[in-house]
Amino acid sequence: MTRRRFGACGGFTLLEVLVALTVLAVGVALALTLVSGSLGNIRKVQSRALFTQQAESVMELALLDESIKDPVTLNGDFENGTRWTVVVAEYELPSDEPLNLDQPLSVWLKLLSYTVEVTGPRSSSPDCRLTTLKLIGTREPAMAPGMPPGMMPGRRPGVPQ
C-alpha cells in the first residue's frame, strides 16, 4: 500500500477557487450591465413610439378640422401628462420660379403649414415634431353667367386641364 503525501491530494487550492469566482463575478456583472442598458434603450424606443403615435393622432385631428382656415395655435395634454401643441401658419411658396397660370390660384387657395410638437411629462423640449402642409380653399370661385354648375371659370368643356 502506497502512502500519499499530505499535499499531493487532487483538487484546487483556495487561491485558484477565489480567482475563478472573481472571473465569474466580473463576467456576470458585465452581462447584467449589458442587459440593463438594453432594457433602458427598449424603454426609450417605446416612449418615442408612443410620442410619435400621439403626434400623428393630434396631426390627423387638426387636419380634419374644417374650421381651421387661418393661423392658430392649439394646446392640450394627454392623460399620461404628455403635452401637445399645434401651430398652424400660412406657408409662402418660394418665389424663385413664378407659377405660370392663366388665373392666379391665390384667389381661391391658400397653403397652411401644420406643426405638431409632443413633449413628454419629464421633458423640457419637444420629444416629437411633425410638419405638413394643407391646401385649403379660401372661398368658392365666382360663377360666370350661363356657366353650368361644377364648371370652374377658365376651363373649357371637354378639355382636360
Side-chain angles (χ1 to χ4, degrees), residues 72 86-91 111-115 131-134:
V72 67
V86 177
V87 177
V88 179
E90 288 193 26
Y91 183 80
L111 266 177
L112 293 179
S113 169
Y114 283 68
T115 302
T131 303
T132 192
L133 296 175
K134 181 180 179 182

Side-chain angles (χ1 to χ4, degrees), residues 98-113:
L99 296 175
N100 187 8
L101 300 172
D102 293 334
Q103 275 191 314
L105 290 178
S106 61
V107 173
W108 301 321
L109 301 173
K110 175 168 53 171
L111 266 177
L112 293 179
S113 169

